[in-house]
Amino acid sequence: MSEEYEARPKHHKPQGISDRIAYGTVRFLRFFADLFFSGRYGNRAVVLETVAAVPGMVGGAIQHLHSLRRMKNDDGWIHTLLEEAENERMHLLTFIEVAKPNWLERTLVIIAQGIFYNAFFVLYLFSSKTAHRVVGYLEEEAVYSYTEYLAGVDSGKYENVPAPQIAIDYWQLPEDARLREVIIAVRADEAKHRDVNHGFADELKSGARK
Ligand SMILES: [Fe+2]
Ligand SMILES: [Fe+2]
């Protein structure tokens, strides 16, 4: 399998109960996402990016409060997390130019935000380690999904439309870039988020960070 289609180039093997809960939750959510979108990858990207942009902002806010409260440096975590949230929002603003969500998907987004924002906030307060692990696994799934989307574009299942201007500006793509290049850029972002969040979870687990 060529590198372009290697769906799960990196997987963190769950170790311990916290990892297992995180992985189980993500796989459970993936099952419903597969069922709901059944291959409509443009719409899937729009809806899921509205969720993906939440954890960085929540984690960033909680780390910010932690830094203030403990009067301690954050080792760059806050900036990294806020940057992740902005990056995910740019994914959303890009894919909204490619696929238009229907009213059911728009309703789902509103309900999902209400549930996910609060659930993730509470999870992060109880166990920031598990929260970062959940994000690490969500990002593994995102890499997998964008690889499937890419394969669909290459097989002609999805039209390789011109890249939206917002994507050309953000990733500094050539003016004649197409959807294919956008998906590759987005997938690289997701792989970075995966590594950063698994890394944060590892750091919290090792006790190097209190
Ligand atoms: Fe994303
Ligand atoms: Fe991501």
Side-chain angles (χ1 to χ4, degrees):
M1 192 181 269
S2 79
E3 201 186 324
E4 281 205 325
Y5 293 122
E6 198 187 341
R8 295 186 193 278
K10 268 193 189 171
H11 170 59
H12 173 88
K13 272 214 160 55
Q15 295 151 354
I17 186 77
S18 152
D19 282 10
R20 282 194 184 87
I21 291 172
Y23 191 51
T25 308
V26 170
R27 294 301 299 202
F28 178 74
L29 293 174
R30 168 146 205 132
F31 173 79
F32 287 105
D34 285 344
L35 210 64
F36 185 79
F37 295 105
S38 62
R40 292 156 54 246
Y41 273 97
N43 292 60
R44 180 190 188 114
V46 169
V47 172
L48 294 186
E49 293 295 358
T50 71
V51 175
V54 169
M57 191 57 73
V58 171
I62 295 177
Q63 290 294 340
H64 176 78
L65 295 174
H66 183 268
S67 171
L68 300 178
R69 199 167 65 239
R70 300 284 171 95
M71 303 172 198
K72 264 175 53 181
N73 203 335
D74 70 318
D75 303 321
W77 279 40
I78 299 166
H79 185 74
T80 301
L81 290 167
L82 295 183
E83 205 174 47
E84 179 190 295
E86 190 187 359
N87 180 247
E88 297 287 18
R89 197 169 55 81
M90 291 309 292
H91 293 172
L92 167 66
L93 297 181
T94 293
F95 284 111
I96 196 72
E97 301 289 330
V98 176
K100 298 282 174 247
N102 59 34
W103 68 267
L104 180 66
E105 288 163 346
R106 284 182 180 275
T107 310
L108 183 74
V109 162
I110 293 165
I111 296 169
Q113 185 174 95
I115 297 170
F116 186 71
Y117 178 88
N118 290 292
F120 192 81
F121 180 78
V122 172
L123 173 65
Y124 204 102
L125 284 182
F126 275 98
S127 174
S128 50
K129 177 184 73 177
T130 309
H132 282 296
R133 192 66 81 200
V134 165
V135 178
Y137 283 131
L138 282 174
E139 303 289 359
E140 285 186 17
E141 296 302 327
V143 170
Y144 177 73
S145 299
Y146 282 116
T147 299
E148 287 188 316
Y149 195 8
L150 185 67
V153 168
D154 288 347
S155 72
K157 188 173 173 192
Y158 310 108
E159 197 189 339
N160 192 17
V161 294
Q165 192 58 45
I166 191 170
I168 292 172
D169 295 343
Y170 184 67
W171 284 283
Q172 297 178 336
L173 300 173
E175 278 301 321
D176 60 351
R178 307 197 72 92
L179 177 60
R180 188 174 201 281
E181 283 123 293
V182 173
I183 296 173
I184 289 173
V186 170
R187 188 178 59 169
D189 291 344
E190 310 298 18
K192 187 175 160 211
H193 304 156
R194 173 198 63 202
D195 295 342
V196 164
N197 280 280
H198 278 321
F200 281 179
D202 289 342
E203 220 175 299
L204 289 162
K205 188 181 175 186
S206 71
R209 186 187 172 84
K210 295 272 178 277

